[in-house]
Amino acid sequence: MERKTAPKYRRAEIIFLVVVGGILILSLSTLVTTISVSNAPPTPTATITLSPTITVTSTPTRLPTRTFTATFTSTPSFTPTRTSTITPTPSETPTPSNTPTAFIFDQGVFNRAFVMDQVIPGIINRLLVADDGNFWIAAPYAVGRYEPDTKIFTQVNLRDPVIGLTQDGKAWMLPSSGTPLQVWDGDGFTYYNHTNSWLTPQGYGAPSPLEAAFSRDFDDNVWLTTAYDVRRLRENQWQIFLPAQMGIELPYRKTIATSFVLANSKISNLAWVGSCNWLDRDRLDGDGVRQFNGFQWSEVEIPAEKGCVTAIASDKSGHTWVGIDGRLWHFDEKLDAWSEFTPPDLDPAKYIGFSHGAVLDISIAPDDSAWVLYELCGSPGCKTRQIRYRIVNGLWTPMRESSQISPPLLLFDGNSTAWLFDINVIHRLENNIFKPVAWMDWMEATVDKDGTIWVLTGKLNAEMILWKYEP
């Protein structure tokens, strides 16, 4: 029995030893491999390190800003690391010291004069300093009077729209029905109706696209251009001058409107009225200029064909300027003579494809220099670009070009220095160049009889501030 079982045990022992030896060999091999890997150099991996580069760029705005916008550009670099993940490690990030703003209010050369806590409902669209020194501020359906001596603000809210403010300290309102004409003098109302010869303005065609305009003649009578005619107030009665009475021929088409522009002589009781026909908002033609001598109307014999009159103004020296069909005419009342003024040629390199169009506005400075605003016409049309000239002793000087549907407001101070009021910035003429002198989100601006410039600022339906510049 023992001789038969011995070989079996030996074979089992041999197999066991072989298995154990194999396991030992595999364990030693794994250990050697692990030691080799642990002692090996690390595998390089990419990591992005953000190194901000500060690029200081001026933020382009229409107004000079006093802050800079910092733009950060990341620069990647690669370094070996033992980590198995990419970890950005930015360096210190600089923070701009000032927050960029769209607008910086800077009163510049203006001084704050008065603060009014009163609220006028609606968007303020009129400002006037009356001859007595009181301030008149109006929105379409509200008007107020501020007395600087007493600091009293008187206001009325209206059902009918304000059509004008006049230097004698009055606000004028006219309902859509056309009557009665209402006047508020800060204390009470006066009404003009048929008892004062005031009748509803009416005509065959469409109403004039121009706003009603007030003026005063040499005898201190009030004149008014309406949607269909011209009127004069003498004492307490209105005189209505229909187009037929003025000798102005109308197109008599329901879709065509006729506008009237008016100027009064500063040295006599002469008045001039020009007409222009419109189709929607486009000018067509007109019937020229008519003259009133205080008693009757007559046709003005300008050495030009009848046409659309777009602007008219008179100075203290007895000169009247008329813009008609893109041509500028000058009348010397003392010599009873007309002459034409032609603008200088446009720079062909700067104004490629453009030419002078209609005379949009004529403003007279206290020194009697004439400032003439022309529209520029080209392939885009005539309504988005203008150029303004100053005429002194027959010499033309281009003063300012604008690319706006509504050109900047032009005012003159007591020294005849010109001011332009653009969006959020006010310019003053210095050495024949308009330079910015204040950055203000102004609502309205005007000049008083002493030549002081007044500017109104504030927020809609909130506090209002009056600023002044005394030359």
Side-chain angles (χ1 to χ4, degrees):
M1 294 291 292
E2 293 179 357
R3 291 178 181 176
K4 292 181 180 179
T5 58
K8 292 181 181 180
Y9 286 111
R10 290 193 190 98
R11 283 196 297 270
E13 290 174 356
I14 292 171
I15 292 172
F16 174 77
L17 290 174
V18 170
V19 171
V20 172
I23 293 172
L24 289 174
I25 293 172
L26 290 175
S27 300
L28 289 174
S29 177
T30 301
L31 178 62
V32 171
T33 301
T34 303
I35 294 173
S36 299
V37 171
S38 63
N39 292 331
T43 302
T45 57
T47 178
I48 296 179
T49 302
L50 299 180
S51 301
T53 302
I54 304 175
T55 304
V56 180
T57 57
S58 299
T59 304
T61 61
R62 298 188 60 163
L63 306 174
T65 58
R66 300 187 179 180
T67 60
F68 293 95
T69 301
T71 58
F72 303 92
T73 305
S74 61
T75 304
S77 60
F78 298 91
T79 56
T81 178
R82 293 177 181 269
T83 60
S84 59
T85 58
I86 300 175
T87 305
T89 57
S91 59
E92 182 179 356
T93 303
T95 302
S97 59
N98 296 318
T99 302
T101 56
F103 173 73
I104 297 177
F105 186 97
D106 186 347
Q107 68 190 60
V109 299
F110 289 88
N111 295 315
R112 186 164 66 174
F114 307 108
V115 178
M116 295 168 286
D117 294 328
Q118 287 75 14
V119 174
I120 291 185
I123 298 175
I124 294 174
N125 59 0
R126 300 178 193 274
L127 172 67
L128 178 138
V129 185
D131 291 338
D132 60 6
N134 293 329
F135 293 86
W136 288 76
I137 304 169
Y141 290 90
V143 63
R145 182 188 66 181
Y146 178 74
E147 302 176 60
D149 293 337
T150 62
K151 305 296 189 294
I152 295 176
F153 189 94
T154 308
Q155 175 183 322
V156 291
N157 297 333
L158 307 164
R159 292 180 301 176
D160 302 316
V162 179
I163 63 171
L165 303 173
T166 50
Q167 293 293 142
D168 56 349
K170 292 180 179 178
W172 302 75
M173 287 73 66
L174 187 66
S176 57
S177 62
T179 190
L181 177 67
Q182 306 162 38
V183 182
W184 185 64
D185 62 5
D187 297 317
F189 283 86
T190 300
Y191 299 88
Y192 293 101
N193 50 33
H194 65 280
T195 62
N196 311 100
S197 302
W198 176 269
L199 303 178
T200 301
Q202 57 185 339
Y204 182 79
S208 168
L210 304 183
E211 293 184 356
F214 289 86
S215 64
R216 285 185 175 270
D217 62 19
F218 189 72
D219 297 323
D220 209 31
N221 297 312
V222 174
W223 287 72
L224 171 63
T225 58
T226 75
Y228 290 101
D229 53 43
V230 176
R231 304 186 176 197
R232 178 176 68 165
L233 177 62
R234 300 186 67 184
E235 296 180 353
N236 197 39
Q237 295 294 316
W238 285 92
Q239 289 178 286
I240 302 176
F241 300 114
L242 300 175
Q245 293 175 269
M246 295 184 287
I248 296 176
E249 185 177 350
L250 300 179
Y252 290 105
R253 291 177 56 185
K254 290 184 177 181
T255 57
I256 295 182
T258 300
S259 64
F260 303 100
V261 290
L262 170 70
N264 298 104
S265 171
K266 302 297 189 294
I267 63 173
S268 72
N269 58 4
L270 288 179
W272 293 273
V273 170
S275 68
C276 185
N277 299 321
W278 300 71
L279 180 60
D280 295 328
R281 302 297 297 183
D282 296 322
R283 292 182 294 269
L284 300 177
D285 53 13
D287 200 30
V289 181
R290 299 297 184 271
Q291 177 181 287
F292 183 71
N293 63 5
F295 302 97
Q296 61 182 5
W297 293 89
S298 61
E299 185 174 339
V300 175
E301 296 182 358
I302 297 178
E305 296 181 0
K306 298 178 182 179
C308 170
V309 180
T310 52
I312 187 168
S314 297
D315 63 28
K316 300 187 302 294
S317 302
H319 302 138
T320 298
W321 299 83
V322 179
I324 176 171
D325 280 349
R327 302 170 68 179
L328 182 65
W329 293 90
H330 174 266
F331 177 66
D332 190 325
E333 188 176 339
K334 298 176 182 177
L335 300 178
D336 192 23
W338 288 89
S339 57
E340 183 178 7
F341 278 62
T342 303
D345 294 335
L346 294 172
D347 184 348
K350 186 177 181 181
Y351 302 100
I352 300 176
F354 281 88
S355 60
H356 290 98
V359 177
L360 299 179
D361 179 68
I362 303 173
S363 299
I364 306 298
D367 61 2
D368 276 355
S369 59
W371 292 67
V372 184
L373 180 69
Y374 277 89
E375 65 181 2
L376 296 177
C377 297
S379 56
C382 300
K383 297 183 179 181
T384 59
R385 198 169 181 181
Q386 311 90 28
I387 186 170
R388 197 183 297 270
Y389 295 95
R390 180 181 61 187
I391 304 176
V392 180
N393 298 325
L395 299 178
W396 294 70
T397 304
M399 301 307 300
R400 176 70 182 266
E401 176 196 349
S402 63
S403 298
Q404 303 175 32
I405 295 178
S406 297
L409 171 66
L410 173 66
L411 294 177
F412 304 97
D413 64 26
N415 293 331
S416 292
T417 300
W419 296 69
L420 283 182
F421 292 78
D422 214 333
I423 300 174
N424 289 340
V425 61
I426 302 173
H427 298 83
R428 181 176 60 188
L429 188 66
E430 300 177 6
N431 298 321
N432 286 335
I433 298 175
F434 279 102
K435 297 182 179 180
V437 293
W439 291 263
M440 309 171 77
D441 51 345
W442 57 279
M443 294 178 175
E444 288 292 328
T446 190
V447 59
D448 63 21
K449 64 179 182 179
D450 298 322
T452 299
I453 301 288
W454 294 91
V455 178
L456 180 68
T457 65
K459 296 181 179 180
L460 183 64
N461 298 335
E463 179 185 78
M464 298 177 291
I465 303 174
L466 278 167
W467 307 79
K468 70 176 181 177
Y469 171 82
E470 295 179 286

